[in-house]
Amino acid sequence: MASGDAGGTGPADRANRAERVRLRLAAWWEANARDLPWRFGRATPWGVLVSEVMSQQTQMSRVVPYWTQWMERWPDARALAAAPKADVITAWGRLGYPRRALRLQECARVVSSECGDELPRGYDALIALPGVGDYTASAVMSFAYGERVAVIDTNIRRVLSRLFRGEESRGGAASPLERALANEVLPSDGDDGMNDVSRGVSRGVPRGVSRRAPRATPPSVVWNQSVMELGALVCTAKNPLCERCPVSADCAFLAAGRPGLGERRTRPRQRFEGTDRQVRGIVLKALRELGSTDSGGSAGSAGSAGSRDSLPRERVEALWKDHVQLDACIAGLDDDGLIEILPDGALRLPRG
């Protein structure tokens, strides 16, 4: 698409362009949205929360099989609250940042014991849950409950900044200016707006392409979902596919020549080899695999070096050659509640 119609970046211009962008993105979303199992009304609010926690700093394609197995095993907060910690950590697999698994279980225990196994609907009640921050609370309110709330993640910040301000999002925490913009362009959920979205979708969806989202989906929810999806698939940080973008004609960033493309990414790419994160992952992987392989060692009492659910000290030391770094990482995992250190130096996943 041509980029000459982007216009200015003032409030009046943003309002006009936001309406055009809204309709085009709604049509694009209906035809191109990834068919993820927690979308299109197929998941409970708890399932939506689980998907959001799993998706933090993890690619969606990696999340899907873990989410599916997790929800089959623990379909609600009460089921997860009663699960052994070791099972929870093992099921988290290679999603990364495994402390999230225990925080999710802590959240499940609060929801089960204090909320009647029903996830709260309000922002203040959601954000008070263990491990739930501003983004997750807003995402649950929008995607699970259909409430009109601006959902602000890295993808949405990048898309909105490029579209309406003609510049890159500068990274770090969301600025007051970015939050103000997200709220300014968030569509109304009135009846007229609902009808406009439906008509826009009908015009933009090719014949034979099914509408997977219900027609009654509020415009603000479609907006949050479609802007986020555009940022994940098209308007990416370093190599945006402007030639495939459904709203390129209204993009101030493209019209300006894409100034400073990719500058100051929100989270700079970090070296992984040799980091504490790698070492922690190696230790947890070895413990998760104990259930399917013989841990070896001499026979002994439960919890000793010979127990099948613990990793003997000599095998622990063989995991990483730098024993100073290894011990520091083991201490960190213990502090985080992800492992238990036995008196003889063996390790195991937590019980209870």
Side-chain angles (χ1 to χ4, degrees), residues 30-205:
E30 293 294 336
N32 296 279
R34 289 171 291 179
D35 191 16
L36 302 175
W38 51 84
R39 285 179 171 173
F40 313 118
R42 292 176 296 180
T44 62
W46 176 255
V48 173
L49 173 69
V50 172
S51 76
E52 292 297 338
V53 174
M54 286 186 169
S55 300
Q56 293 168 11
Q57 301 175 334
T58 306
Q59 293 180 347
M60 289 285 193
S61 59
R62 293 179 57 198
V63 170
V64 171
Y66 285 102
W67 183 90
T68 302
Q69 294 172 14
W70 186 284
M71 295 305 297
E72 288 175 352
R73 188 171 186 179
W74 302 304
D76 51 33
R78 181 172 290 117
L80 180 59
K85 284 185 179 180
D87 290 355
V88 172
I89 295 171
T90 300
W92 195 258
R94 301 188 65 183
L95 283 173
Y97 302 98
R99 177 63 182 156
R100 289 180 295 168
L102 295 186
R103 292 292 282 168
L104 184 57
Q105 187 176 44
E106 292 172 20
C107 177
R109 287 170 175 159
V110 173
V111 172
S112 175
S113 63
E114 300 180 15
C115 306
D117 206 31
E118 294 289 335
L119 200 62
R121 296 183 66 102
Y123 178 86
D124 290 341
L126 283 167
I127 206 169
L129 295 173
V132 176
D134 172 76
Y135 165 75
T136 303
S138 300
V140 168
M141 289 180 65
S142 178
F143 304 150
Y145 292 128
E147 299 289 343
R148 183 181 181 275
V149 58
V151 179
I152 304 174
D153 79 337
T154 301
N155 285 327
I156 288 179
R157 290 166 57 194
R158 180 172 59 253
V159 171
L160 296 185
S161 183
R162 286 174 175 176
L163 267 173
F164 297 107
R165 297 175 58 200
E167 61 186 39
E168 287 283 42
S169 173
R170 293 302 180 183
S175 69
L177 189 63
E178 287 176 322
R179 291 186 177 278
L181 175 60
N183 283 286
E184 176 187 333
V185 299
L186 186 69
S188 168
D189 284 345
D191 291 338
D192 289 340
M194 185 82 73
N195 294 333
D196 286 346
V197 165
S198 298
R199 288 196 297 270
V201 168
S202 298
R203 287 196 299 269
V205 177

Side-chain angles (χ1 to χ4, degrees), residues 162 168-171 237-238 253 259-266:
R162 286 174 175 176
E168 287 283 42
S169 173
R170 293 302 180 183
K238 296 180 68 175
F253 185 66
L261 175 63
E263 286 184 356
R264 294 187 62 184
R265 296 174 61 212
T266 300

